[in-house]
Amino acid sequence: SNVVSAVTANQVPTAPVGVTAAISSPTSLQLLITPPTSDGGLTVSNYIIEWDVSSGFNPSTRKSAKVTASSLPLLRQSTGVLVYELTALTTGTTYWVRVAAENSIGVGPFSLAGQNLAPAGKPGAPASVRIETPTSLSVPITTSTVSWTPPRASNGAPITNYMVEWWEGGYV
């Protein structure tokens, strides 16, 4: 018996192997796109990137960008993973992201990012800070009470902890 093999040609590309999203600023997400395993026999010319506040990608609310494949920088030559910065997003709003490859025949199926994310950043400094230290005691003064009000803006993520630092000894 003879072994026969075939290479697909003149088809749309398959879906990208993977799409990973990470928060890169209070208003942007960085996407890592692993190209499709098959370009359909023709060079992938563009990537279609869509984002929405709903996993259903409603045509009335989703946004999209058509990005030239050659304009996307490589994260690593060995893996072929491409990088795209999705900007001008709303801080604290959760987004779903999906990506499809396009060649001269058409657009292939989409790959959905593994998780939905909300762009966020570091919170601002507390709005006010107060320190209270006793001025007179019969024993050495060894304590102070520090209190504060939360920052005016959390930059899109809940505040889970505060860091209080102090300096001991000497004079400023």
Side-chain angles (χ1 to χ4, degrees):
S1 72
N2 293 332
V3 175
V4 177
S5 65
V7 176
T8 58
N10 298 327
Q11 297 179 11
V12 297
T14 57
V17 171
V19 178
T20 304
I23 298 168
S24 58
S25 85
T27 58
S28 62
L29 298 175
Q30 184 178 74
L31 306 180
L32 301 180
I33 305 163
T34 304
T37 54
S38 171
D39 60 11
L42 300 162
T43 302
V44 171
S45 53
N46 301 300
Y47 284 91
I48 311 303
I49 299 167
E50 293 186 346
W51 60 99
D52 198 355
V53 295
S54 162
S55 62
F57 291 88
N58 185 322
S60 65
T61 60
R62 77 172 176 235
K63 301 209 174 14
S64 68
K66 183 183 231 180
V67 182
T68 306
S70 61
S71 73
L72 294 173
L74 277 171
L75 178 65
R76 266 191 210 116
Q77 187 72 37
S78 62
T79 62
V81 174
L82 305 168
V83 180
Y84 182 74
E85 195 75 20
L86 186 56
T87 61
L89 302 174
T90 302
T91 300
T93 300
T94 301
Y95 293 93
W96 294 87
V97 179
R98 65 184 184 179
V99 179
E102 179 182 42
N103 62 18
S104 59
I105 300 295
V107 178
F110 281 91
S111 275
L112 185 64
Q115 64 180 358
N116 58 338
L117 291 174
K122 295 182 206 174
S128 65
V129 177
R130 195 167 93 203
I131 185 165
E132 294 177 34
T133 304
T135 56
S136 169
L137 288 175
S138 60
V139 294
I141 299 170
T142 60
T143 63
S144 291
T145 301
V146 179
S147 58
W148 58 88
T149 56
R152 289 181 183 85
S154 67
N155 270 340
I159 296 172
T160 57
N161 295 297
Y162 289 90
M163 180 171 32
V164 178
E165 297 180 318
W166 65 92
W167 180 71
E168 290 184 48
Y171 296 93
V172 176

PDB file of all heavy atoms in Angstrom, residues 48-79:
ATOM      1  N   ILE A  48      -7.279  39.602  13.534  1.00  0.00           N
ATOM      2  CA  ILE A  48      -8.467  40.332  13.941  1.00  0.00           C
ATOM      3  C   ILE A  48      -8.568  40.167  15.460  1.00  0.00           C
ATOM      4  O   ILE A  48      -8.682  39.043  15.960  1.00  0.00           O
ATOM      5  CB  ILE A  48      -9.744  39.797  13.265  1.00  0.00           C
ATOM      6  CG1 ILE A  48      -9.550  39.660  11.753  1.00  0.00           C
ATOM      7  CG2 ILE A  48     -10.953  40.653  13.629  1.00  0.00           C
ATOM      8  CD1 ILE A  48      -9.137  40.915  11.029  1.00  0.00           C
ATOM      9  N   ILE A  49      -8.520  41.275  16.176  1.00  0.00           N
ATOM     10  CA  ILE A  49      -8.580  41.252  17.631  1.00  0.00           C
ATOM     11  C   ILE A  49      -9.892  41.904  18.040  1.00  0.00           C
ATOM     12  O   ILE A  49     -10.188  43.022  17.618  1.00  0.00           O
ATOM     13  CB  ILE A  49      -7.374  42.002  18.239  1.00  0.00           C
ATOM     14  CG1 ILE A  49      -6.092  41.302  17.785  1.00  0.00           C
ATOM     15  CG2 ILE A  49      -7.485  42.065  19.760  1.00  0.00           C
ATOM     16  CD1 ILE A  49      -4.839  42.057  18.017  1.00  0.00           C
ATOM     17  N   GLU A  50     -10.695  41.173  18.799  1.00  0.00           N
ATOM     18  CA  GLU A  50     -11.982  41.687  19.269  1.00  0.00           C
ATOM     19  C   GLU A  50     -12.003  41.673  20.788  1.00  0.00           C
ATOM     20  O   GLU A  50     -11.450  40.763  21.411  1.00  0.00           O
ATOM     21  CB  GLU A  50     -13.144  40.853  18.736  1.00  0.00           C
ATOM     22  CG  GLU A  50     -13.317  40.961  17.237  1.00  0.00           C
ATOM     23  CD  GLU A  50     -14.564  40.262  16.713  1.00  0.00           C
ATOM     24  OE1 GLU A  50     -15.174  39.459  17.455  1.00  0.00           O
ATOM     25  OE2 GLU A  50     -14.921  40.512  15.555  1.00  0.00           O
ATOM     26  N   TRP A  51     -12.658  42.688  21.380  1.00  0.00           N
ATOM     27  CA  TRP A  51     -12.827  42.740  22.832  1.00  0.00           C
ATOM     28  C   TRP A  51     -14.213  43.269  23.151  1.00  0.00           C
ATOM     29  O   TRP A  51     -14.800  44.036  22.389  1.00  0.00           O
ATOM     30  CB  TRP A  51     -11.733  43.573  23.498  1.00  0.00           C
ATOM     31  CG  TRP A  51     -11.654  45.006  23.075  1.00  0.00           C
ATOM     32  CD1 TRP A  51     -12.155  46.092  23.735  1.00  0.00           C
ATOM     33  CD2 TRP A  51     -11.018  45.530  21.904  1.00  0.00           C
ATOM     34  NE1 TRP A  51     -11.885  47.243  23.054  1.00  0.00           N
ATOM     35  CE2 TRP A  51     -11.184  46.932  21.918  1.00  0.00           C
ATOM     36  CE3 TRP A  51     -10.324  44.953  20.827  1.00  0.00           C
ATOM     37  CZ2 TRP A  51     -10.679  47.758  20.925  1.00  0.00           C
ATOM     38  CZ3 TRP A  51      -9.837  45.786  19.837  1.00  0.00           C
ATOM     39  CH2 TRP A  51     -10.017  47.162  19.882  1.00  0.00           C
ATOM     40  N   ASP A  52     -14.748  42.784  24.273  1.00  0.00           N
ATOM     41  CA  ASP A  52     -16.102  43.154  24.674  1.00  0.00           C
ATOM     42  C   ASP A  52     -16.246  42.968  26.183  1.00  0.00           C
ATOM     43  O   ASP A  52     -15.480  42.227  26.794  1.00  0.00           O
ATOM     44  CB  ASP A  52     -17.124  42.275  23.931  1.00  0.00           C
ATOM     45  CG  ASP A  52     -18.533  42.843  23.945  1.00  0.00           C
ATOM     46  OD1 ASP A  52     -18.778  43.879  24.602  1.00  0.00           O
ATOM     47  OD2 ASP A  52     -19.413  42.237  23.310  1.00  0.00           O
ATOM     48  N   VAL A  53     -17.244  43.623  26.742  1.00  0.00           N
ATOM     49  CA  VAL A  53     -17.542  43.465  28.168  1.00  0.00           C
ATOM     50  C   VAL A  53     -18.371  42.212  28.412  1.00  0.00           C
ATOM     51  O   VAL A  53     -18.622  41.840  29.547  1.00  0.00           O
ATOM     52  CB  VAL A  53     -18.255  44.713  28.736  1.00  0.00           C
ATOM     53  CG1 VAL A  53     -17.327  45.924  28.670  1.00  0.00           C
ATOM     54  CG2 VAL A  53     -19.547  44.994  27.992  1.00  0.00           C
ATOM     55  N   SER A  54     -18.782  41.542  27.340  1.00  0.00           N
ATOM     56  CA  SER A  54     -19.587  40.326  27.428  1.00  0.00           C
ATOM     57  C   SER A  54     -18.881  39.189  26.700  1.00  0.00           C
ATOM     58  O   SER A  54     -18.286  39.392  25.640  1.00  0.00           O
ATOM     59  CB  SER A  54     -20.956  40.579  26.789  1.00  0.00           C
ATOM     60  OG  SER A  54     -21.591  39.372  26.477  1.00  0.00           O
ATOM     61  N   SER A  55     -18.981  37.988  27.246  1.00  0.00           N
ATOM     62  CA  SER A  55     -18.365  36.833  26.583  1.00  0.00           C
ATOM     63  C   SER A  55     -19.092  36.476  25.289  1.00  0.00           C
ATOM     64  O   SER A  55     -18.577  35.711  24.483  1.00  0.00           O
ATOM     65  CB  SER A  55     -18.338  35.626  27.522  1.00  0.00           C
ATOM     66  OG  SER A  55     -19.660  35.250  27.866  1.00  0.00           O
ATOM     67  N   GLY A  56     -20.292  37.037  25.084  1.00  0.00           N
ATOM     68  CA  GLY A  56     -21.049  36.781  23.862  1.00  0.00           C
ATOM     69  C   GLY A  56     -20.619  37.625  22.677  1.00  0.00           C
ATOM     70  O   GLY A  56     -21.062  37.409  21.555  1.00  0.00           O
ATOM     71  N   PHE A  57     -19.729  38.600  22.896  1.00  0.00           N
ATOM     72  CA  PHE A  57     -19.239  39.472  21.830  1.00  0.00           C
ATOM     73  C   PHE A  57     -20.395  40.042  21.001  1.00  0.00           C
ATOM     74  O   PHE A  57     -20.496  39.847  19.808  1.00  0.00           O
ATOM     75  CB  PHE A  57     -18.206  38.766  20.943  1.00  0.00           C
ATOM     76  CG  PHE A  57     -16.917  38.509  21.667  1.00  0.00           C
ATOM     77  CD1 PHE A  57     -16.745  37.354  22.400  1.00  0.00           C
ATOM     78  CD2 PHE A  57     -15.899  39.444  21.653  1.00  0.00           C
ATOM     79  CE1 PHE A  57     -15.568  37.117  23.110  1.00  0.00           C
ATOM     80  CE2 PHE A  57     -14.722  39.223  22.352  1.00  0.00           C
ATOM     81  CZ  PHE A  57     -14.552  38.058  23.080  1.00  0.00           C
ATOM     82  N   ASN A  58     -21.260  40.750  21.688  1.00  0.00           N
ATOM     83  CA  ASN A  58     -22.435  41.369  21.085  1.00  0.00           C
ATOM     84  C   ASN A  58     -22.003  42.338  19.985  1.00  0.00           C
ATOM     85  O   ASN A  58     -21.176  43.216  20.214  1.00  0.00           O
ATOM     86  CB  ASN A  58     -23.215  42.111  22.182  1.00  0.00           C
ATOM     87  CG  ASN A  58     -24.510  42.678  21.684  1.00  0.00           C
ATOM     88  OD1 ASN A  58     -24.621  43.175  20.573  1.00  0.00           O
ATOM     89  ND2 ASN A  58     -25.515  42.623  22.540  1.00  0.00           N
ATOM     90  N   PRO A  59     -22.554  42.206  18.770  1.00  0.00           N
ATOM     91  CA  PRO A  59     -22.154  43.097  17.667  1.00  0.00           C
ATOM     92  C   PRO A  59     -22.338  44.584  17.976  1.00  0.00           C
ATOM     93  O   PRO A  59     -21.626  45.418  17.428  1.00  0.00           O
ATOM     94  CB  PRO A  59     -23.065  42.670  16.511  1.00  0.00           C
ATOM     95  CG  PRO A  59     -23.443  41.269  16.833  1.00  0.00           C
ATOM     96  CD  PRO A  59     -23.501  41.185  18.334  1.00  0.00           C
ATOM     97  N   SER A  60     -23.263  44.919  18.872  1.00  0.00           N
ATOM     98  CA  SER A  60     -23.480  46.339  19.167  1.00  0.00           C
ATOM     99  C   SER A  60     -22.498  46.884  20.216  1.00  0.00           C
ATOM    100  O   SER A  60     -22.352  48.102  20.339  1.00  0.00           O
ATOM    101  CB  SER A  60     -24.917  46.569  19.630  1.00  0.00           C
ATOM    102  OG  SER A  60     -25.148  45.907  20.853  1.00  0.00           O
ATOM    103  N   THR A  61     -21.802  46.022  20.960  1.00  0.00           N
ATOM    104  CA  THR A  61     -20.878  46.510  21.988  1.00  0.00           C
ATOM    105  C   THR A  61     -19.426  46.104  21.757  1.00  0.00           C
ATOM    106  O   THR A  61     -18.527  46.737  22.301  1.00  0.00           O
ATOM    107  CB  THR A  61     -21.292  46.005  23.386  1.00  0.00           C
ATOM    108  OG1 THR A  61     -21.288  44.570  23.387  1.00  0.00           O
ATOM    109  CG2 THR A  61     -22.657  46.533  23.788  1.00  0.00           C
ATOM    110  N   ARG A  62     -19.176  45.070  20.975  1.00  0.00           N
ATOM    111  CA  ARG A  62     -17.786  44.636  20.790  1.00  0.00           C
ATOM    112  C   ARG A  62     -17.023  45.643  19.939  1.00  0.00           C
ATOM    113  O   ARG A  62     -17.577  46.345  19.099  1.00  0.00           O
ATOM    114  CB  ARG A  62     -17.730  43.241  20.184  1.00  0.00           C
ATOM    115  CG  ARG A  62     -18.004  43.207  18.706  1.00  0.00           C
ATOM    116  CD  ARG A  62     -17.754  41.830  18.112  1.00  0.00           C
ATOM    117  NE  ARG A  62     -18.118  41.829  16.717  1.00  0.00           N
ATOM    118  CZ  ARG A  62     -18.966  41.001  16.164  1.00  0.00           C
ATOM    119  NH1 ARG A  62     -19.551  40.053  16.885  1.00  0.00           N
ATOM    120  NH2 ARG A  62     -19.235  41.082  14.886  1.00  0.00           N
ATOM    121  N   LYS A  63     -15.743  45.666  20.195  1.00  0.00           N
ATOM    122  CA  LYS A  63     -14.841  46.516  19.414  1.00  0.00           C
ATOM    123  C   LYS A  63     -13.818  45.596  18.765  1.00  0.00           C
ATOM    124  O   LYS A  63     -13.599  44.480  19.212  1.00  0.00           O
ATOM    125  CB  LYS A  63     -14.168  47.526  20.319  1.00  0.00           C
ATOM    126  CG  LYS A  63     -15.160  48.434  21.042  1.00  0.00           C
ATOM    127  CD  LYS A  63     -14.562  49.760  21.336  1.00  0.00           C
ATOM    128  CE  LYS A  63     -15.485  50.770  21.920  1.00  0.00           C
ATOM    129  NZ  LYS A  63     -16.746  50.407  22.435  1.00  0.00           N
ATOM    130  N   SER A  64     -13.213  46.072  17.677  1.00  0.00           N
ATOM    131  CA  SER A  64     -12.234  45.230  17.004  1.00  0.00           C
ATOM    132  C   SER A  64     -11.132  46.063  16.372  1.00  0.00           C
ATOM    133  O   SER A  64     -11.284  47.254  16.137  1.00  0.00           O
ATOM    134  CB  SER A  64     -12.913  44.359  15.949  1.00  0.00           C
ATOM    135  OG  SER A  64     -13.381  45.151  14.888  1.00  0.00           O
ATOM    136  N   ALA A  65     -10.029  45.381  16.122  1.00  0.00           N
ATOM    137  CA  ALA A  65      -8.893  45.977  15.430  1.00  0.00           C
ATOM    138  C   ALA A  65      -8.355  44.946  14.453  1.00  0.00           C
ATOM    139  O   ALA A  65      -8.265  43.757  14.781  1.00  0.00           O
ATOM    140  CB  ALA A  65      -7.815  46.379  16.418  1.00  0.00           C
ATOM    141  N   LYS A  66      -8.034  45.397  13.253  1.00  0.00           N
ATOM    142  CA  LYS A  66      -7.374  44.549  12.264  1.00  0.00           C
ATOM    143  C   LYS A  66      -5.913  44.976  12.249  1.00  0.00           C
ATOM    144  O   LYS A  66      -5.598  46.123  11.947  1.00  0.00           O
ATOM    145  CB  LYS A  66      -8.002  44.745  10.892  1.00  0.00           C
ATOM    146  CG  LYS A  66      -7.436  43.847   9.821  1.00  0.00           C
ATOM    147  CD  LYS A  66      -8.068  44.181   8.478  1.00  0.00           C
ATOM    148  CE  LYS A  66      -8.575  42.930   7.834  1.00  0.00           C
ATOM    149  NZ  LYS A  66      -9.195  43.195   6.526  1.00  0.00           N
ATOM    150  N   VAL A  67      -5.031  44.048  12.642  1.00  0.00           N
ATOM    151  CA  VAL A  67      -3.621  44.366  12.802  1.00  0.00           C
ATOM    152  C   VAL A  67      -2.805  43.565  11.789  1.00  0.00           C
ATOM    153  O   VAL A  67      -2.961  42.346  11.685  1.00  0.00           O
ATOM    154  CB  VAL A  67      -3.163  44.020  14.245  1.00  0.00           C
ATOM    155  CG1 VAL A  67      -1.713  44.379  14.450  1.00  0.00           C
ATOM    156  CG2 VAL A  67      -4.051  44.719  15.266  1.00  0.00           C
ATOM    157  N   THR A  68      -1.950  44.241  11.066  1.00  0.00           N
ATOM    158  CA  THR A  68      -1.086  43.571  10.092  1.00  0.00           C
ATOM    159  C   THR A  68      -0.139  42.623  10.821  1.00  0.00           C
ATOM    160  O   THR A  68       0.528  43.015  11.787  1.00  0.00           O
ATOM    161  CB  THR A  68      -0.257  44.609   9.311  1.00  0.00           C
ATOM    162  OG1 THR A  68      -1.149  45.558   8.739  1.00  0.00           O
ATOM    163  CG2 THR A  68       0.568  43.959   8.216  1.00  0.00           C
ATOM    164  N   ALA A  69      -0.113  41.384  10.384  1.00  0.00           N
ATOM    165  CA  ALA A  69       0.690  40.354  11.062  1.00  0.00           C
ATOM    166  C   ALA A  69       2.155  40.762  11.172  1.00  0.00           C
ATOM    167  O   ALA A  69       2.780  40.577  12.216  1.00  0.00           O
ATOM    168  CB  ALA A  69       0.554  39.016  10.340  1.00  0.00           C
ATOM    169  N   SER A  70       2.705  41.353  10.128  1.00  0.00           N
ATOM    170  CA  SER A  70       4.125  41.722  10.137  1.00  0.00           C
ATOM    171  C   SER A  70       4.429  42.872  11.098  1.00  0.00           C
ATOM    172  O   SER A  70       5.586  43.105  11.430  1.00  0.00           O
ATOM    173  CB  SER A  70       4.587  42.077   8.722  1.00  0.00           C
ATOM    174  OG  SER A  70       3.848  43.195   8.247  1.00  0.00           O
ATOM    175  N   SER A  71       3.405  43.584  11.564  1.00  0.00           N
ATOM    176  CA  SER A  71       3.649  44.695  12.495  1.00  0.00           C
ATOM    177  C   SER A  71       3.705  44.233  13.953  1.00  0.00           C
ATOM    178  O   SER A  71       4.094  45.004  14.825  1.00  0.00           O
ATOM    179  CB  SER A  71       2.552  45.753  12.349  1.00  0.00           C
ATOM    180  OG  SER A  71       1.332  45.293  12.904  1.00  0.00           O
ATOM    181  N   LEU A  72       3.321  42.984  14.220  1.00  0.00           N
ATOM    182  CA  LEU A  72       3.319  42.480  15.594  1.00  0.00           C
ATOM    183  C   LEU A  72       4.713  41.992  15.976  1.00  0.00           C
ATOM    184  O   LEU A  72       5.277  41.131  15.294  1.00  0.00           O
ATOM    185  CB  LEU A  72       2.309  41.340  15.747  1.00  0.00           C
ATOM    186  CG  LEU A  72       0.844  41.728  15.577  1.00  0.00           C
ATOM    187  CD1 LEU A  72      -0.046  40.494  15.573  1.00  0.00           C
ATOM    188  CD2 LEU A  72       0.415  42.687  16.666  1.00  0.00           C
ATOM    189  N   PRO A  73       5.267  42.514  17.064  1.00  0.00           N
ATOM    190  CA  PRO A  73       6.593  42.037  17.471  1.00  0.00           C
ATOM    191  C   PRO A  73       6.530  40.616  18.009  1.00  0.00           C
ATOM    192  O   PRO A  73       5.529  40.199  18.571  1.00  0.00           O
ATOM    193  CB  PRO A  73       7.008  43.028  18.570  1.00  0.00           C
ATOM    194  CG  PRO A  73       5.744  43.653  19.049  1.00  0.00           C
ATOM    195  CD  PRO A  73       4.754  43.573  17.930  1.00  0.00           C
ATOM    196  N   LEU A  74       7.638  39.906  17.815  1.00  0.00           N
ATOM    197  CA  LEU A  74       7.776  38.546  18.351  1.00  0.00           C
ATOM    198  C   LEU A  74       8.233  38.619  19.799  1.00  0.00           C
ATOM    199  O   LEU A  74       9.152  39.365  20.128  1.00  0.00           O
ATOM    200  CB  LEU A  74       8.833  37.771  17.563  1.00  0.00           C
ATOM    201  CG  LEU A  74       8.409  37.114  16.266  1.00  0.00           C
ATOM    202  CD1 LEU A  74       9.631  36.594  15.526  1.00  0.00           C
ATOM    203  CD2 LEU A  74       7.440  35.990  16.530  1.00  0.00           C
ATOM    204  N   LEU A  75       7.586  37.850  20.652  1.00  0.00           N
ATOM    205  CA  LEU A  75       8.035  37.749  22.037  1.00  0.00           C
ATOM    206  C   LEU A  75       9.325  36.948  22.069  1.00  0.00           C
ATOM    207  O   LEU A  75      10.295  37.332  22.703  1.00  0.00           O
ATOM    208  CB  LEU A  75       6.964  37.077  22.905  1.00  0.00           C
ATOM    209  CG  LEU A  75       7.322  36.860  24.359  1.00  0.00           C
ATOM    210  CD1 LEU A  75       7.486  38.207  25.063  1.00  0.00           C
ATOM    211  CD2 LEU A  75       6.270  36.023  25.058  1.00  0.00           C
ATOM    212  N   ARG A  76       9.309  35.810  21.364  1.00  0.00           N
ATOM    213  CA  ARG A  76      10.480  34.946  21.246  1.00  0.00           C
ATOM    214  C   ARG A  76      10.514  34.353  19.845  1.00  0.00           C
ATOM    215  O   ARG A  76       9.517  33.819  19.376  1.00  0.00           O
ATOM    216  CB  ARG A  76      10.395  33.787  22.243  1.00  0.00           C
ATOM    217  CG  ARG A  76      11.089  34.061  23.504  1.00  0.00           C
ATOM    218  CD  ARG A  76      11.233  32.812  24.363  1.00  0.00           C
ATOM    219  NE  ARG A  76      11.233  33.272  25.730  1.00  0.00           N
ATOM    220  CZ  ARG A  76      10.321  32.984  26.624  1.00  0.00           C
ATOM    221  NH1 ARG A  76       9.347  32.171  26.330  1.00  0.00           N
ATOM    222  NH2 ARG A  76      10.405  33.474  27.816  1.00  0.00           N
ATOM    223  N   GLN A  77      11.637  34.418  19.230  1.00  0.00           N
ATOM    224  CA  GLN A  77      11.794  33.851  17.891  1.00  0.00           C
ATOM    225  C   GLN A  77      11.480  32.358  17.896  1.00  0.00           C
ATOM    226  O   GLN A  77      10.822  31.854  17.002  1.00  0.00           O
ATOM    227  CB  GLN A  77      13.228  34.098  17.394  1.00  0.00           C
ATOM    228  CG  GLN A  77      13.448  33.708  15.948  1.00  0.00           C
ATOM    229  CD  GLN A  77      12.785  34.664  14.970  1.00  0.00           C
ATOM    230  OE1 GLN A  77      12.760  35.856  15.199  1.00  0.00           O
ATOM    231  NE2 GLN A  77      12.246  34.138  13.895  1.00  0.00           N
ATOM    232  N   SER A  78      11.926  31.643  18.934  1.00  0.00           N
ATOM    233  CA  SER A  78      11.783  30.189  18.971  1.00  0.00           C
ATOM    234  C   SER A  78      10.319  29.734  19.060  1.00  0.00           C
ATOM    235  O   SER A  78       9.980  28.663  18.584  1.00  0.00           O
ATOM    236  CB  SER A  78      12.574  29.611  20.142  1.00  0.00           C
ATOM    237  OG  SER A  78      12.068  30.114  21.370  1.00  0.00           O
ATOM    238  N   THR A  79       9.451  30.537  19.691  1.00  0.00           N
ATOM    239  CA  THR A  79       8.057  30.117  19.863  1.00  0.00           C
ATOM    240  C   THR A  79       7.124  30.738  18.839  1.00  0.00           C
ATOM    241  O   THR A  79       6.032  30.230  18.615  1.00  0.00           O
ATOM    242  CB  THR A  79       7.538  30.503  21.258  1.00  0.00           C
ATOM    243  OG1 THR A  79       7.588  31.928  21.385  1.00  0.00           O
ATOM    244  CG2 THR A  79       8.361  29.849  22.346  1.00  0.00           C
TER     245      THR A  79
END
